[in-house]
Amino acid sequence: MVPVLLVLLLALILFGAGFALKALWWIAVIVLVVWALGFVIRPAGSGGRRGRWYRW
């Protein structure tokens, strides 16, 4: 009974890790797209030149 529970627990952990890693990849892709769009869509800064789209 204990080996069966260990296998089920291992399968659950691996499934959860796989789902979390896939979600992190999608988040990374979305952040990359937003970051790339920030270079294309930048507001004009003072003096008519293009400024940074981020604040730091």
Side-chain angles (χ1 to χ4, degrees), residues 27-51:
I27 292 170
V29 167
I30 291 169
V31 168
L32 179 65
V33 168
V34 170
W35 178 74
L37 284 175
F39 285 106
V40 177
I41 308 170
R42 289 187 296 192
S46 61
R49 61 187 181 89
R50 294 172 73 89

Side-chain angles (χ1 to χ4, degrees), residues 2-55:
V2 172
V4 172
L5 288 176
L6 288 175
V7 169
L8 289 175
L9 182 64
L10 182 64
L12 184 65
I13 289 172
L14 290 177
F15 174 76
F19 178 76
L21 287 176
K22 187 171 183 170
L24 286 175
W25 272 111
W26 280 111
I27 292 170
V29 167
I30 291 169
V31 168
L32 179 65
V33 168
V34 170
W35 178 74
L37 284 175
F39 285 106
V40 177
I41 308 170
R42 289 187 296 192
S46 61
R49 61 187 181 89
R50 294 172 73 89
R52 293 183 304 201
W53 65 278
Y54 51 88
R55 296 193 177 269

